[in-house]
Amino acid sequence: MIEIQDVYKKYGRKQVLEGVSFTVKPNEITCITGINGTGKTTLMNSIMRLSPIDKGNILIDDKIIDNHSYEKIAYIADGLTMPRKMTIQEAMDFMSVYYSNWNQEKADGLIDFFHLNPNEKMKDLSKGNQAKANFILGLGQDAEYYLMDEPFSGIDVFAREQILEVFTSQFVTGKGVLIATHHIDEIEILVDRIVMLQLGKIQRDFYAEDARENEGKSIIDIMREVYQA
Ligand SMILES: Nc1ncnc2c1ncn2[C@@H]1O[C@H](COP(=O)(O)OP(=O)(O)OP(=O)(O)O)[C@@H](O)[C@H]1O
C-alpha cells in the first residue's frame, strides 16, 4: 500500500498541499481529481520524489519511500518522456538498461495489445499512439503500483477506448493504480476509489460503489457538490 500521510508542500508563498492524507491499495484503481491547478501533479511528483515535500510522510509497503522504492512504482507521465527521435524499440532498449524491473516480454505483449510497430519513431506517432507508447514504457516495468498523470489528455475517443481496455487486462490486474485527472467522466467506469482535492486539501475520499449504493450518486454528482458548492 502507498500511504500519503499529512503531506504539506509550498511553492514560494503558495501553499499547494495542506495536510493531504490518503492511501493507494493493491488491486484498486484510485483517482485523484480536482479542477486545474489544485495540486494533482504536485502530489504525483511528491510521491515520485521529483519534488521534495515540506512536511509529512510517504510510505510504500510500510517503509518511507526512497530510491529503492522505484522498483515497486512506475510513473506514466502526461506526454512523451523519451526523445522524440527514438523509435519505440530504442525507448524500450533504454528502459531495459536503466530500469532493473523492466520486463521485455510484458512490453512485447503490450506492443501486440496496442497494435503498435516498435520500429516507428515517437515523433511520427499520432497523439493516441504516443499515449499508448507511454503506457508501454510504464506498464513494461514489473512494478506493484502505477501512477498516471492525465493519461487521456488530448487523445481521441478510439485511442482512449483501447487504453481503457488495458486496465481490465492481465497487464494491470492485481496492481495498485493511482490516476490523476480532472476528466473523471472519461474513466468513471473503471475507478474504484475517488479522492477529491480542492485548495490543497482533501474534500472527499470514497468508493464509487458505496456512493452509488448508499447515496444513489455518481462520481460526477459528488464532484458537482464539491466543486460547484
Ligand atoms: N514548479 C512550480 N513552481 C511554482 N509553482 C508551481 C510549480 N508547479 C506547480 N505550481 C503551482 O502549484 C499549483 C498546483 O499545480 P499542479 O500542477 O500540481 O496542479 P494540477 O492540479 O496538476 O493542475 P492541472 O490539472 O492544470 O494539471 C498551481 O497553482 C501551480 O501554478
Side-chain angles (χ1 to χ4, degrees):
M1 179 160 72
I2 301 178
E3 292 170 77
I4 291 100
Q5 298 177 337
D6 204 23
V7 165
Y8 285 75
K9 169 80 187 171
K10 249 183 192 175
Y11 285 117
R13 284 209 254 148
K14 184 168 188 172
Q15 191 74 50
V16 179
L17 301 176
E18 207 174 338
V20 169
S21 302
F22 68 98
T23 54
V24 179
K25 294 183 180 157
N27 205 21
E28 278 186 8
I29 298 178
T30 300
C31 178
I32 179 115
T33 190
I35 54 174
N36 290 120
T38 208
K40 301 180 296 296
T41 301
T42 301
L43 188 60
M44 294 298 228
N45 287 341
S46 303
I47 299 172
M48 293 310 293
R49 298 212 321 165
L50 297 169
S51 164
I53 55 175
D54 301 328
K55 197 177 144 205
N57 288 312
I58 302 177
L59 287 84
I60 178 161
D61 297 341
D62 300 323
K63 286 193 191 135
I64 298 274
I65 250 169
D66 62 19
N67 288 342
H68 300 290
S69 309
Y70 296 104
E71 295 265 306
K72 289 188 175 183
I73 310 185
Y75 188 37
I76 299 170
D78 174 11
L80 281 182
T81 46
M82 289 287 175
R84 295 168 57 79
K85 62 180 183 195
M86 271 190 180
T87 64
I88 300 176
Q89 186 61 55
E90 285 165 347
M92 292 193 296
D93 292 345
F94 177 93
M95 295 298 290
S96 72
V97 172
Y98 287 98
Y99 288 78
S100 56
N101 62 356
W102 182 250
N103 180 338
Q104 189 58 49
E105 211 176 299
K106 189 176 177 199
D108 289 339
L110 283 156
I111 290 274
D112 290 345
F113 183 90
F114 287 130
H115 309 296
L116 289 187
N117 172 1
N119 299 317
E120 267 203 88
K121 286 188 190 276
M122 299 282 188
K123 68 181 176 60
D124 297 333
L125 299 173
S126 66
K127 197 120 202 265
N129 282 349
Q130 285 182 359
K132 290 175 200 168
N134 252 354
F135 263 80
I136 292 168
L137 298 175
L139 295 178
Q141 296 170 55
D142 258 340
E144 295 303 319
Y145 302 92
Y146 294 96
L147 269 51
M148 306 172 184
D149 194 5
E150 295 289 355
F152 304 106
S153 72
I155 64 172
D156 67 46
V157 63
F158 304 109
R160 188 164 71 230
E161 272 174 10
Q162 249 199 323
I163 292 176
L164 286 177
E165 278 176 33
V166 87
F167 287 92
T168 48
S169 73
Q170 80 274 18
F171 300 111
V172 177
T173 308
K175 308 296 183 184
V177 175
L178 177 63
I179 303 176
T181 183
H182 53 268
H183 293 298
I184 189 85
D185 49 318
E186 294 174 346
I187 54 165
E188 182 165 13
I189 45 159
L190 59 91
V191 168
D192 296 300
R193 183 173 176 183
I194 301 93
V195 177
M196 291 183 176
L197 202 58
Q198 191 183 31
L199 299 175
K201 293 184 180 160
I202 291 181
Q203 298 296 332
R204 290 284 302 260
D205 178 353
F206 61 97
Y207 282 90
E209 204 179 316
D210 291 345
R212 266 180 234 121
E213 284 183 6
N214 303 337
E215 300 177 62
K217 289 177 182 166
S218 69
I219 302 173
I220 303 292
D221 292 334
I222 297 177
M223 273 194 94
R224 281 208 185 91
E225 286 175 8
V226 170
Y227 298 110
Q228 292 184 343

